[in-house]
Amino acid sequence: MECTGQKHISDRKSVNKTDILRDFRVSFFAMSRLASFPWTFLEEDLESTKSSDLISDILKQTCLHSLCRKFPPSVRFRRLFLSELIRRQEAAGCDPLDELYDALAEVVGAEDSTECYKNYLLPSGDAVSLLESVALISEGTTGLVTWEAALYLAEWALDHQQAFAGRTVLELGSGVGLTGITICRSCSPSRFVFSDCHPSVLQKLRKNVRLNGLTSPAVSVEELDWTAATEEQLSEIGADVVIAADVVFDPDIAGSLVKLLSKILNRSSPDVLVCSTVRNQETYGGFKQQLGGNQPPCDPRPRQPRVRLQQNLHHRNDPTAHVTQ
């Protein structure tokens, strides 16, 4: 019985370590905030073992991983991450780890760039790799980085793959492409149309679509101005599903979105999914009010609403993220 119990404890530790290494890998490649990494587990391991073995394993899953060589996070992020590993190792009094200092030396003298890669790991083990701006706002737009709502909608899509399988999907305000590429790689749509209106965003979006191996005619990137889109243009796309993430942050933009959705719903009956991080309750409330007042007349026969509002779907790291359906 004692041997069995010890084996159970050993297995539990093994599982925990596997999970921790995966958490470090996922957080590192997505360039998550350093405070969100599972440092507590690392500290406990260093204190109990006085060994740098776990740090060595973390390095292999992050800075020394082949994905980092191919699509590296920003120099500044890697520098901060490695410095934090060294700080915690030294605080625990562990022996220095040469490969850790070698990795830091590699980035200390490296030049920072205005662009970097973020890699979002899929359940299959593959990654969605995106070239993004290191600044939240650049070239007069916020569309050159991935925002929280896009991450949430991508996760929602992975949990609801049947909503996209075999269907034509139109994404509004695709940005750098995380949600759409995730759906194309994992949900088997028959056709996917990325869209945006900012020239720099479209250029970066096309690069990321090619970077992830997506090709026409099943996948296309189109310029779509919400204020100028015609019903004929929308009819040609023929979307069965329309999605958008983090597009309801400005009253003027929200109003244009409502008018565009009204045009789409006047010609067909697609499913519409809008994911929002609520930064301003008044702006978001105004969007919902406009959306409710602009829904086209429904068939008098009993049916599901053409646009449904759901506010009980929250991102695990952001309680203000809502899916509007």
Side-chain angles (χ1 to χ4, degrees):
M1 292 294 292
E2 184 174 307
C3 292
T4 303
Q6 289 176 345
K7 182 179 186 301
H8 174 73
I9 293 173
S10 175
D11 289 345
R12 185 178 62 191
K13 288 182 177 179
S14 176
V15 170
N16 286 340
K17 182 178 177 180
T18 299
D19 292 342
I20 291 301
L21 288 174
R22 184 182 186 282
D23 286 346
F24 267 100
R25 183 173 69 250
V26 168
S27 297
F28 174 81
F29 283 112
M31 287 179 56
S32 302
R33 294 179 301 108
L34 285 182
S36 68
F37 283 63
W39 299 112
T40 300
F41 185 96
L42 174 60
E43 288 179 342
E44 292 174 351
D45 182 86
L46 293 174
E47 288 294 337
S48 63
T49 66
K50 297 300 179 181
S51 166
S52 297
D53 289 348
L54 181 56
I55 288 183
S56 178
D57 290 336
I58 290 172
L59 272 178
K60 293 173 184 176
Q61 294 296 322
T62 55
C63 293
L64 303 184
H65 195 282
S66 59
L67 187 60
C68 185
R69 298 297 183 188
K70 189 175 182 181
F71 300 122
S74 74
V75 169
R76 181 176 181 274
F77 180 81
R78 283 179 283 155
R79 188 185 303 134
L80 291 172
F81 173 72
L82 290 165
S83 297
E84 187 66 19
L85 281 179
I86 289 173
R87 186 182 74 81
R88 293 178 185 269
Q89 180 197 48
E90 292 178 344
C94 298
D95 292 334
L97 186 65
D98 289 342
E99 58 192 317
L100 178 56
Y101 290 91
D102 290 343
L104 180 62
E106 185 177 325
V107 295
V108 163
E111 185 177 349
D112 288 315
S113 172
T114 58
E115 295 180 323
C116 66
Y117 290 99
K118 289 186 180 180
N119 301 277
Y120 302 90
L121 304 186
L122 299 173
S124 64
D126 294 333
V128 173
S129 299
L130 303 176
L131 183 62
E132 303 190 13
S133 171
V134 297
L136 295 180
I137 302 176
S138 59
E139 300 185 47
T141 178
T142 59
L144 296 175
V145 297
T146 295
W147 293 88
E148 186 77 9
L151 177 60
Y152 175 78
L153 186 53
E155 292 178 346
W156 188 93
L158 290 172
D159 290 336
H160 300 81
Q161 296 183 27
Q162 72 283 357
F164 307 97
R167 309 181 79 186
T168 296
V169 183
L170 167 64
E171 182 177 19
L172 305 174
S174 296
V176 291
L178 172 63
T179 303
I181 293 172
T182 299
I183 291 173
C184 290
R185 294 274 296 274
S186 302
C187 303
S188 304
S190 61
R191 184 185 175 212
F192 195 99
V193 179
F194 295 86
S195 73
D196 215 293
C197 66
H198 195 283
S200 296
V201 175
L202 287 167
Q203 183 180 22
K204 187 68 62 65
L205 178 59
R206 291 189 176 100
K207 286 183 179 178
N208 284 332
V209 168
R210 291 194 298 270
L211 187 69
N212 286 274
L214 305 179
T215 58
S216 58
V219 174
S220 61
V221 177
E222 299 187 13
E223 181 178 357
L224 185 64
D225 185 334
W226 296 355
T227 61
T230 65
E231 292 191 359
E232 289 72 22
Q233 182 181 11
L234 298 171
S235 179
E236 185 176 341
I237 294 174
D240 302 309
V241 183
V242 178
I243 64 171
D246 221 337
V247 292
V248 189
F249 55 86
D250 179 273
D252 293 335
I253 293 176
S256 299
L257 175 61
V258 169
K259 292 177 181 177
L260 178 67
L261 292 177
S262 295
K263 285 183 182 179
I264 294 173
L265 291 169
N266 276 330
R267 299 192 66 90
S268 59
S269 300
D271 294 330
V272 179
L273 302 167
V274 180
C275 186
S276 304
T277 298
V278 182
R279 299 177 179 85
N280 184 299
Q281 285 289 350
E282 185 177 347
T283 299
Y284 186 69
F287 165 68
K288 292 195 296 180
Q289 185 176 15
Q290 290 183 69
L291 190 62
N294 280 272
Q295 289 192 54
C298 292
D299 190 308
R301 293 170 295 181
R303 56 174 292 175
Q304 291 293 320
R306 300 176 77 176
V307 179
R308 292 184 299 160
L309 300 183
Q310 293 183 310
Q311 297 186 19
N312 60 336
L313 300 175
H314 304 299
H315 191 277
R316 60 175 177 267
N317 294 324
D318 187 354
T320 62
H322 296 173
V323 167
T324 303
Q325 181 177 20

